[in-house]
Amino acid sequence: MSLPEIAIAAALAWGAGLRAYLVIFAVGLAGALGWIELPGYLQVLERPIVLAASGFMTCVEFFADKLPWLDSVWDAVHSFIRIPAGAALAAAVFGDSDAAVTIAAAILGGTLAATMHAAKSGARAAVNVSPEPFSNWALSLSEDALVPLGLWLAVAHPIVSFVLLVVLLVAAVFLVRLLWRLIASTLWSSRSTRSAP
């Protein structure tokens, strides 16, 4: 287990928390074109049927993510897809390692994907209540650009990638805590309003 492998596993899990289909498609395409050599258990992503399916779903998600009313529903449904995908992708990086390492990678990858997914869907839900679509589009396009950039950094500059990922993870944890406090205070104030005579 090396730092480049850890950086790649972390970037795959992080990216899956934001855009699972894009991660699968981008990594598979990079492997199929010979830009990178994928670890053994990730080479399945290079197969044409996987590229076609992940490419199609990447296109669907690209457009679904730009519509505020559909975006929140899409994120809710993908809570059941992004988190297991992050766990599976992180574990696949270490598929040739000891079973304990693979399981640990799956646990940490799933946790990282869950944290990023919670931060993403919470921030997008807050932005989606705005009547103008531009803030939603700006956030969505930022995520579309961040995922390939994060994957590239993990391969080209693993140490930089790892440091930036830690910073993003800390920011995501603070964002999730802030969103929970906001939700709790909103619920508390609505209860107080209803119970007032």
Side-chain angles (χ1 to χ4, degrees):
M1 185 165 56
S2 64
L3 182 60
E5 287 177 320
I6 294 169
I8 289 169
L12 291 173
W14 163 81
L18 297 174
R19 295 272 195 276
Y21 305 120
L22 178 57
V23 169
I24 294 167
F25 179 69
V27 170
L29 186 63
L33 295 175
W35 296 344
I36 59 172
E37 185 176 340
L38 298 179
Y41 285 90
L42 285 176
Q43 289 176 359
V44 69
L45 303 181
E46 300 174 3
R47 294 193 182 164
I49 192 165
V50 176
L51 285 172
S54 61
F56 173 75
M57 289 307 297
T58 297
C59 290
V60 170
E61 183 168 54
F62 179 83
F63 292 106
D65 203 59
K66 306 301 181 276
L67 302 171
W69 58 272
L70 183 57
D71 173 53
S72 294
V73 173
W74 186 267
D75 279 343
V77 170
H78 281 77
S79 299
F80 303 101
I81 297 170
R82 290 180 184 145
I83 297 166
L89 289 167
V93 172
F94 301 103
D96 292 329
S97 302
D98 181 61
V101 172
T102 305
I103 291 170
I107 292 167
L108 295 173
T111 303
L112 179 55
T115 303
M116 294 313 299
H117 172 68
K120 173 214 184 318
S121 44
R124 296 298 292 280
V127 170
N128 286 345
V129 297
S130 171
E132 49 79 27
F134 303 110
S135 53
N136 183 52
W137 294 344
L139 268 176
S140 180
L141 290 170
S142 298
E143 292 164 6
D144 293 332
L146 269 176
V147 169
L149 178 62
L151 295 173
W152 173 78
L153 273 175
V155 173
H157 305 286
I159 293 173
V160 174
S161 167
F162 195 72
V163 169
L164 288 176
L165 192 59
V166 169
V167 170
L168 282 173
L169 183 59
V170 170
V173 168
F174 279 115
L175 179 61
V176 169
R177 288 183 65 200
L178 178 69
L179 290 169
W180 276 115
R181 285 183 184 165
L182 181 64
I183 291 167
S185 68
T186 303
L187 291 174
W188 182 258
S189 65
S190 68
R191 266 191 201 169
S192 300
T193 305
R194 274 187 265 148
S195 63

